[in-house]
Amino acid sequence: MENKKIAIVTGAVKGIGNSITVRLIKDNYFVVMVDVDQSNGELFESENVGKCKFILGNISNKEDVKSIFKYVQNNYNRVDLLVNNAGIIRDNMIWNMSEEDFDDVIEINLKGTWMMCKEAALLMKIQNKGRIVNITSRAWLGNKGQSNYSASKAGVVGLTRVLALELGKYNVCVNAIAPGLIDTPLTKGLREDVLEQLVNAQPTKSIGKPEDIANAVAFLGSYDTNFITGQTIYVDGGKSIGSNL
Ligand SMILES: NC(=O)c1ccc[n+]([C@@H]2O[C@H](COP(=O)([O-])OP(=O)(O)OC[C@H]3O[C@@H](n4cnc5c(N)ncnc54)[C@H](O)[C@@H]3O)[C@@H](O)[C@H]2O)c1
């Protein structure tokens, strides 16, 4: 373990998070995978012995978050990179959205990310070194039917900017990645006609791959970059530039 960097990735079992995990393992990180999906997490760990450790944990549960960091501290005594990727959607127009769907999305996407950042900040401040990469979404700019999700992801952008200010002097860079439309189990849940419309609205007329996000995480998480902090990098096929319909 001495010759490996330690990364924590949340939502590491499926979709973008799993792609990030695979990429970081390739880049000689030992990855602590946090997820609520136990069976697939344990399966991945058993197929990648010595390269990762799966921890069953809900990032919106304070006790889980504390015990994740306690485990990391006790076993590895450091964390080089935290990737806050876990997130959910519960879409609806505001007049049809339940308060529960609003609360769940904010609790996981924003408060869960904040709790993970808080524990990482405590540790990284002491070690005087660290990287945090938060996965937000292009949707923070606004998407109909996503008042809960857009608000949560806008919160993650704000959180990223503040932590860059607070942790800068401790050699900790904090950045966000804003994915656009990416081919994952989350987007596979969309209706076919809706997906087609979304792809058509892309300047590239294509859907991104989880690896596109993993590549950006590998760059921002590395120690080659010491002077990029507080930024939100769009990996969205140009969608953030404006409408292309
Ligand atoms: N797929 C896209 O098009 C897209 C676009 C923009 C942003 N994003 C963001 O990227 C991230 C990953 O998205 P994805 O498409 O891979 O999603 P996904 O649903 O395919 O995977 C999310 C993973 O997070 C885990 N998870 C969910 N809630 C959790 C919790 N409370 N604690 C721990 N783990 C939890 C799930 O079990 C799953 O393994 C999310 O933050 C999402 O908002 C995705």
Side-chain angles (χ1 to χ4, degrees):
M1 210 65 65
E2 281 308 304
N3 63 343
K4 283 186 191 272
K5 286 172 282 175
I6 307 293
I8 302 175
V9 180
T10 68
V13 167
K14 282 197 286 286
I16 292 171
N18 194 252
S19 206
I20 293 168
T21 301
V22 168
R23 172 60 194 260
L24 293 179
I25 287 174
K26 207 169 127 218
D27 289 357
N28 203 33
Y29 285 83
F30 182 86
V31 180
V32 177
M33 305 169 69
V34 176
D35 208 294
V36 287
D37 180 349
Q38 184 167 18
S39 52
N40 288 319
E42 286 173 353
L43 179 66
F44 187 91
E45 186 185 2
S46 70
E47 290 167 351
N48 292 276
V49 176
K51 298 174 183 170
C52 60
K53 164 78 186 163
F54 171 71
I55 299 182
L56 178 66
N58 176 355
I59 60 154
S60 67
N61 180 305
K62 196 160 134 187
E63 299 317 313
D64 282 7
V65 170
K66 286 207 174 289
S67 69
I68 292 159
F69 278 86
K70 204 166 174 188
Y71 180 89
V72 170
Q73 231 172 334
N74 289 344
N75 288 276
Y76 317 117
N77 200 28
R78 68 183 192 284
V79 59
D80 298 291
L81 168 63
L82 166 65
V83 185
N84 283 306
N85 163 78
I88 60 163
I89 50 171
R90 299 277 185 274
D91 296 354
N92 231 323
M93 297 304 244
I94 194 164
W95 47 87
N96 291 325
M97 189 179 286
S98 67
E99 197 176 329
E100 192 188 352
D101 280 350
F102 179 82
D103 288 345
D104 286 353
V105 168
I106 297 289
E107 276 291 312
I108 294 174
N109 296 7
L110 181 56
K111 189 165 177 203
T113 299
W114 179 83
M115 289 197 290
M116 291 294 295
C117 283
K118 180 172 178 177
E119 293 303 316
L122 286 164
L123 201 58
M124 288 176 177
K125 199 166 162 263
I126 294 167
Q127 57 188 39
N128 201 34
K129 180 183 170 203
R131 294 284 182 270
I132 298 176
V133 180
N134 293 324
I135 307 300
T136 175
S137 170
R138 188 217 58 87
W140 85 276
L141 297 170
N143 255 1
K144 265 199 295 196
Q146 294 197 311
S147 56
N148 51 359
Y149 184 76
S150 292
S152 74
K153 293 298 190 179
V156 170
V157 172
L159 171 66
T160 302
R161 293 169 62 97
V162 171
L163 296 192
L165 294 174
E166 293 182 353
L167 290 165
K169 70 172 176 180
Y170 300 104
N171 301 308
V172 179
C173 294
V174 188
N175 290 291
I177 293 168
L181 191 63
I182 307 292
D183 190 9
T184 70
L186 190 137
T187 39
K188 281 196 171 73
L190 291 169
R191 255 184 19 227
E192 211 173 302
D193 58 320
V194 173
L195 188 62
E196 199 182 309
Q197 236 180 356
L198 290 171
V199 172
N200 252 328
Q202 292 281 125
T204 56
K205 304 283 177 204
S206 64
I207 186 164
K209 294 188 288 297
E211 293 77 20
D212 292 316
I213 308 305
N215 291 340
V217 170
F219 171 63
L220 289 174
S222 83
Y223 285 78
D224 298 339
T225 61
N226 293 309
F227 214 50
I228 303 176
T229 194
Q231 303 306 305
T232 296
I233 310 291
Y234 291 89
V235 182
D236 69 343
K239 183 78 191 297
S240 53
I241 298 164
S243 169
N244 200 42
L245 282 174

